[in-house]
Amino acid sequence: MSILQAPIFLYSTGPFSSCSCRRSIRATANALKTQMSPLFIQTIFSRGLAEELEKDHNSVINLNTCKRQSKNPQEALVVAKFYAIMEAVADRVEMHKNIGAQRDNWNHLLLTSINSITLTAATMAGLATTGGTGAPLVALKVSSTLLYLSATAMLVVMNKIQPSQLGEEQRNAARLFKQLYREMQTAMSLYKLTNIDVINEAMEKVVALDKAYPLPLLGAMIEKFPKTVEPTVWWPPKRQRRLERLGEEIDGNGWDGKLEEEMREIVGVLKRKDVAEYLRLSQKALKVNKILAISGPLLTGLAALGSSFLGTTHGAWAVMLAVIAGALASVVNTLEHGGQVGMVFEMYRSNAGFFRLMQEIIESNISLKEVERRENGELFKIKVALQLGRSLSELKHLAALSSSRKGEEAIEEFASKLF
């Protein structure tokens, strides 16, 4: 920034007819030419976009500007379309972030409110036994029963929508849309956008994310208690297309038989260990959540039944049922929504989806017979290693270990070290 500000400082100092001033101006101009390299300009552009995305300042697409930057009208149109998709993605990031915060607030507020109602009803039921007879007893009895019935209705709705799980869905959606935004930035920086397939692929990714993480609650909400647990799928079906090249072609495109075999072994480990483990954990979390979701309203319903019999010949067991069931309902509600069991289930299912996506990406690359249509092998290996939290040597060791155990007991090590 000091270099950029230097010319303003020189021009603001008054007349500059001396040789020293001229030399200073020339030095500043040369420094500007040196510093304002394409990489420097791209860095400023990328940071500006990131700040726009963070501050929710959407950029305005101007097709005429695109045409001035490119002599080819068709290429300018493709670039304009790409910018339009980027703006939509940036807008979705903010939408999912805001709605995720809202649904987190739902979870906290509903948990606090229902527990307060339940404990107040239990206190009234206990006081009703010492309130004597007549109007005080009736008032405490009716109030306790109504509060328990209200808590039961609210719990049924809360357990149905699972606000903690809704919040996790929106956080995942915001993260994935940010990831897509960065991928599009990278494509703009590295490739020449002349292929309409790039636009179609970006559109398909946006639509797939919208379908995987819907915003509405009524009608489109993801099933919170599915009969079978499957990994979350937020990507479109893979369509093969020729990848853009980052320069001259390399013999084999960075692929050889050894790398292909390593990738096959990694796919096997992902399928046997990582995906299977997170699906197993998802099923356990779902079972626990089902038990808690049924127990909470059941306990408050029993407490309401006990409160309705206060002051009768069955008053002894009625007050015990009203107070004890109400206290247990508060504990169960706190475990389910305070512990965010629904969020844990969604997190495990998303992790299984992440490993399933990695598995599909690796398989789609090694299944192509024409290596020039694949992603560069060396770059692809680095990406796989980073996503699994391993170094290149650790990735190679994992593939060798899996290959040596074929036909024997499966390896105990997971492919990922991140989760």
Side-chain angles (χ1 to χ4, degrees):
M1 291 301 293
S2 60
I3 294 174
L4 293 174
Q5 292 169 357
I8 300 174
F9 176 77
L10 288 172
Y11 281 101
S12 62
T13 54
F16 43 93
S17 57
S18 65
C19 294
S20 60
C21 286
R22 291 195 186 98
R23 284 196 295 270
S24 299
I25 293 171
R26 287 196 200 98
T28 303
N30 291 333
L32 279 172
K33 289 180 181 178
T34 304
Q35 294 295 329
M36 294 295 284
S37 62
L39 179 61
F40 181 71
I41 294 171
Q42 179 60 36
T43 304
I44 294 175
F45 178 72
S46 300
R47 288 178 181 173
L49 280 180
E51 290 173 0
E52 277 186 358
L53 183 59
E54 187 67 24
K55 296 178 180 179
D56 195 24
H57 290 162
N58 293 327
S59 60
V60 178
I61 297 176
N62 190 338
L63 185 56
N64 294 328
T65 302
C66 295
K67 287 181 178 178
R68 287 196 298 270
Q69 291 174 351
S70 174
K71 296 180 181 179
N72 186 349
Q74 185 62 31
E75 181 182 344
L77 181 61
V78 172
V79 172
K81 289 178 179 179
F82 206 68
Y83 272 116
I85 298 172
M86 288 180 70
E87 285 200 351
V89 170
D91 185 57
R92 278 167 170 77
V93 170
E94 293 302 319
M95 281 196 302
H96 285 284
K97 187 190 298 183
N98 294 338
I99 292 177
Q102 176 201 59
R103 290 174 182 178
D104 271 339
N105 285 338
W106 283 2
N107 189 58
H108 299 314
L109 294 173
L110 285 172
L111 173 63
T112 304
S113 301
I114 293 174
N115 278 351
S116 300
I117 291 172
T118 305
L119 293 175
T120 302
T123 304
M124 287 182 172
L127 291 174
T129 58
T130 60
T133 59
L137 175 62
V138 173
L140 290 170
K141 172 182 174 180
V142 172
S143 298
S144 177
T145 304
L146 289 176
L147 286 175
Y148 273 133
L149 290 175
S150 300
T152 303
M154 292 172 69
L155 266 178
V156 169
V157 174
M158 189 177 184
N159 292 346
K160 177 67 177 177
I161 65 174
Q162 292 290 315
S164 66
Q165 188 172 342
L166 290 174
E168 180 66 11
E169 291 170 5
Q170 299 309 312
R171 284 191 293 271
N172 286 337
R175 178 180 61 83
L176 292 169
F177 272 114
K178 281 183 181 179
Q179 184 182 33
L180 177 58
Y181 188 87
R182 288 192 294 268
E183 287 176 3
M184 297 179 75
Q185 279 185 298
T186 303
M188 289 286 296
S189 304
L190 298 180
Y191 305 120
K192 192 174 183 180
L193 300 177
T194 58
N195 193 347
I196 195 64
D197 285 349
V198 178
I199 304 298
N200 294 335
E201 185 180 358
M203 286 288 294
E204 288 175 358
K205 287 181 178 180
V206 172
V207 172
L209 276 170
D210 287 339
K211 184 179 178 181
Y213 298 104
L215 292 172
L217 288 179
L218 300 177
M221 186 178 68
I222 299 174
E223 177 60 43
K224 298 301 180 284
F225 300 98
K227 294 180 180 178
T228 57
V229 179
E230 295 291 337
T232 305
V233 177
W234 61 81
W235 59 93
K238 290 294 176 183
R239 293 189 308 132
Q240 299 298 341
R241 63 179 178 86
R242 182 178 176 84
L243 296 173
E244 300 286 347
R245 296 285 165 238
L246 296 176
E248 296 181 358
E249 294 284 346
I250 304 173
D251 291 340
N253 196 22
W255 287 89
D256 54 26
K258 188 176 180 181
L259 179 57
E260 287 186 7
E261 187 60 29
E262 286 180 6
M263 292 296 110
R264 287 192 180 93
E265 295 299 333
I266 290 168
V267 167
V269 177
L270 284 170
K271 187 175 182 180
R272 290 191 307 269
K273 298 293 295 182
D274 298 76
V275 175
E277 175 67 12
Y278 278 102
L279 285 178
R280 184 183 67 82
L281 292 173
S282 298
Q283 291 171 348
K284 285 189 173 182
L286 180 61
K287 287 179 181 178
V288 172
N289 203 24
K290 280 183 178 178
I291 293 170
L292 294 174
I294 294 171
S295 300
L298 180 62
L299 286 169
T300 52
L302 290 174
L305 181 64
S307 294
S308 65
F309 283 96
L310 292 174
T312 64
T313 54
H314 305 288
W317 67 261
V319 70
M320 290 182 63
L321 181 63
V323 175
I324 295 174
L328 288 175
S330 296
V331 173
V332 169
N333 191 32
T334 302
L335 286 174
E336 181 183 7
H337 299 290
Q340 300 191 357
V341 183
M343 181 273 292
V344 173
F345 166 66
E346 184 61 31
M347 180 184 67
Y348 285 150
R349 189 166 61 171
S350 296
N351 288 346
F354 170 76
F355 294 121
R356 177 68 60 83
L357 175 60
M358 284 197 64
Q359 179 184 332
E360 289 189 10
I361 291 174
I362 296 173
E363 288 176 342
S364 66
N365 268 274
I366 61 180
S367 64
L368 289 172
K369 301 301 181 184
E370 302 173 5
V371 292
E372 66 272 7
R373 295 181 60 196
R374 302 177 182 177
E375 188 172 355
N376 181 271
E378 296 179 7
L379 178 61
F380 187 72
K381 187 176 181 180
I382 290 174
K383 287 182 178 180
V384 171
L386 290 173
Q387 288 179 333
L388 295 178
R390 292 177 175 271
S391 64
L392 294 177
S393 59
E394 288 175 336
L395 192 69
K396 187 175 182 180
H397 173 73
L398 175 67
L401 184 61
S402 175
S403 178
S404 64
R405 290 292 190 94
K406 277 190 174 179
E408 304 175 8
E409 185 180 356
I411 62 172
E412 295 297 327
E413 189 174 2
F414 289 88
S416 175
K417 285 189 172 182
L418 287 178
F419 306 117

